[in-house]
Amino acid sequence: MDRVGVTLLLKYLSAAYRSFRIDEDEVEGVIRVWADILQDIPTETAMAATRRLCRTKTDFAPSPGEIYQACTDSGTELTVYQIQKQEQQARVLELQEYHETEEVGPAPDFVQKRIDAIFRSKVKPDES
C-alpha cells in the first residue's frame, strides 16, 4: 500500500469515525507509519478489510495492525489452491501422527480410499 492508498484509507476512517482525527503536524509521520505497516497489502484489499472492520467495530477506529491482520487472516477469501494446500497439509500431519504412534489397526479412512483408488486405476480387468 502506498501513500495515496493510506491517505484514502485515513480519509475513509475519518468519515466513518467522528473521533478519528490526526493533527496537521503529525500527518506525515502517521502516513509513513501506516504505509510501512501495510506495505505488503494491496489498496483494494486494505479498503475491503477496513469496511468490514468499520461494520463491526463501533467504538474506535481500527489500528493499522488490526487492518493488516484482517487482510492476512487465513479465513478471508482463500483461493481454491490455498484450501487444497491446507487440506493436503492436514492429511500429511494426520499420516505423520498415525505413523509416530505406531498403533496397530486399520488405516485411516482417507488413506484406505486413496489405496482403493490407486488399485482401481492400475488393475485392469482381464481382456481375454
Side-chain angles (χ1 to χ4, degrees), residues 50-116:
T50 302
R51 275 190 222 90
R52 284 193 309 272
L53 287 170
C54 286
R55 290 180 183 139
T56 58
K57 287 181 59 84
T58 57
D59 298 335
F60 300 103
S63 68
E66 289 172 324
I67 294 170
Y68 183 85
Q69 266 188 329
C71 292
T72 58
D73 275 347
S74 60
T76 58
E77 302 178 25
L78 293 176
T79 63
V80 173
Y81 172 74
Q82 291 170 326
I83 293 170
Q84 289 175 340
K85 185 176 179 181
Q86 286 178 350
E87 289 172 352
Q88 179 65 24
Q89 289 171 342
R91 283 190 211 110
V92 168
L93 289 174
E94 199 172 322
L95 275 175
Q96 185 177 11
E97 180 182 352
Y98 177 76
H99 176 69
E100 288 172 356
T101 58
E102 296 184 25
E103 292 179 13
V104 177
D109 291 339
F110 73 92
V111 173
Q112 192 61 47
K113 287 179 185 176
R114 280 253 170 120
I115 292 170
D116 292 344

Side-chain angles (χ1 to χ4, degrees), residues 1-9 31 43:
M1 188 166 203
D2 59 356
R3 293 178 56 81
V4 174
V6 170
T7 304
L8 290 172
L9 187 75
I31 290 175
T43 302

